[in-house]
């Protein structure tokens, strides 16, 4: 039997093929998918430079506890919200937070500016997730803040802004969040 697996990220953080994958048949890059019309062109804004030099690694990515201490600061959170207003106001967005504490601070900051958001994390009951996603799809909610819940496989055509508020060293995670 021949099995064909389809994945945007068929490799682990070290670049090795995932178990079950023997070969990559076609290797399309983001630019190829834009040129072919499968993805839309995008702009990237990085208005805040965060010093991550003292954040240790846990495996191939930043240690979440240390990362949260560096990024979950009022000035950074306010910058995220202000730059969303400046560059993405009115666009539906998906925001990736470091952890629950960080997600709660982001939720509060967006809410204070009158931007309707919800937070989805591992503690969010399935019925609440379904309701939030339906409200997001209908436009009642403008943004979803999540912690690695909507990282891979989330598809909502009306989504037009990604806020990567959790720096990563992982190419795979970056592609899954932003691709």
């Amino acid at each position: 039997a021949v099995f064909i697996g389809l994945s945007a990220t068929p490799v682990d953080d070290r670049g090795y093929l995932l178990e079950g994958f023997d070969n990559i048949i076609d290797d399309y890059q983001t630019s190829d998918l834009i040129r072919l019309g499968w993805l839309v062109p995008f702009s990237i804004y990085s208005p805040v430079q965060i010093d991550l030099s003292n954040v240790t690694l846990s495996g191939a990515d930043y240690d979440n506890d240390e990362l949260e201490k560096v990024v979950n600061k009022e000035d950074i959170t306010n910058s995220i919200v202000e730059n969303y207003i400046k560059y993405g106001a009115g666009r539906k967005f998906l925001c990736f937070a470091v952890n629950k504490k960080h997600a709660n601070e982001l939720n509060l900051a967006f809410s204070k500016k009158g931007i309707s958001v919800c937070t989805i994390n591992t503690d969010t009951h399935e019925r609440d997730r379904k309701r939030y996603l339906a409200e997001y799809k209908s436009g009642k909610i403008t943004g979803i803040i999540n912690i690695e819940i909507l990282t891979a496989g989330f598809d909502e055509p009306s989504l037009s802004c990604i806020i990567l508020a959790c720096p990563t060293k992982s190419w795979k995670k970056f592609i899954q969040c932003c691709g």
Side-chain angles (χ1 to χ4, degrees):
V2 174
F3 292 96
I4 298 176
L6 304 173
S7 177
T9 53
V11 295
D12 63 18
D13 290 326
R14 298 171 301 172
Y16 295 108
L17 285 172
L18 297 175
E19 186 176 337
F21 287 88
D22 297 321
N23 293 306
I24 295 178
I25 298 169
D26 281 316
D27 185 12
Y28 286 96
Q29 299 301 316
T30 303
S31 59
D32 298 322
L33 297 172
I34 291 170
R35 186 176 39 77
L36 293 168
W38 291 100
L39 294 177
V40 295
F42 55 87
S43 299
I44 298 174
Y45 301 96
S46 180
V48 177
Q49 296 296 319
I50 302 171
D51 182 7
L52 301 170
S53 61
N54 293 320
V55 179
T56 60
L57 297 179
S58 176
D61 210 348
Y62 295 113
D63 177 87
N64 269 354
D65 292 333
E66 290 185 29
L67 186 60
E68 188 265 330
K69 290 175 187 171
V70 172
V71 301
N72 193 11
K73 296 183 176 175
E74 186 175 1
D75 62 327
I76 294 172
T77 301
N78 289 339
S79 177
I80 290 167
V81 174
E82 292 303 324
N83 279 286
Y84 165 74
I85 293 167
K86 181 177 179 179
Y87 295 110
R91 292 176 177 256
K92 286 187 182 178
F93 69 90
L94 184 59
C95 178
F96 294 93
V98 174
N99 58 21
K100 293 173 189 171
K101 183 177 177 185
H102 186 220
N104 289 339
E105 293 298 323
L106 287 162
N107 188 313
L108 182 63
F110 277 106
S111 297
K112 282 182 179 178
K113 292 291 185 176
I115 300 165
S116 59
V117 296
C118 68
T119 299
I120 296 178
N121 60 48
T122 55
D123 294 334
T124 307
H125 193 278
E126 185 63 30
R127 75 173 173 273
D128 292 328
R129 282 187 198 187
K130 287 181 179 178
R131 180 173 48 89
Y132 292 153
L133 291 172
E135 290 175 352
Y136 181 75
K137 187 174 185 140
S138 75
K140 185 174 180 182
I141 292 175
T142 302
I144 299 175
I145 301 165
N146 79 111
I147 306 109
E148 295 196 26
I149 298 294
L150 302 175
T151 305
F154 179 67
D155 186 25
E156 172 51 53
S158 64
L159 167 65
S160 63
C161 180
I162 298 290
I163 300 172
L164 195 58
C166 59
T168 182
K169 290 186 77 66
S170 168
W171 170 85
K172 180 178 178 179
K173 181 177 177 182
F174 177 80
I175 292 297
Q176 288 176 333
C177 291
C178 297

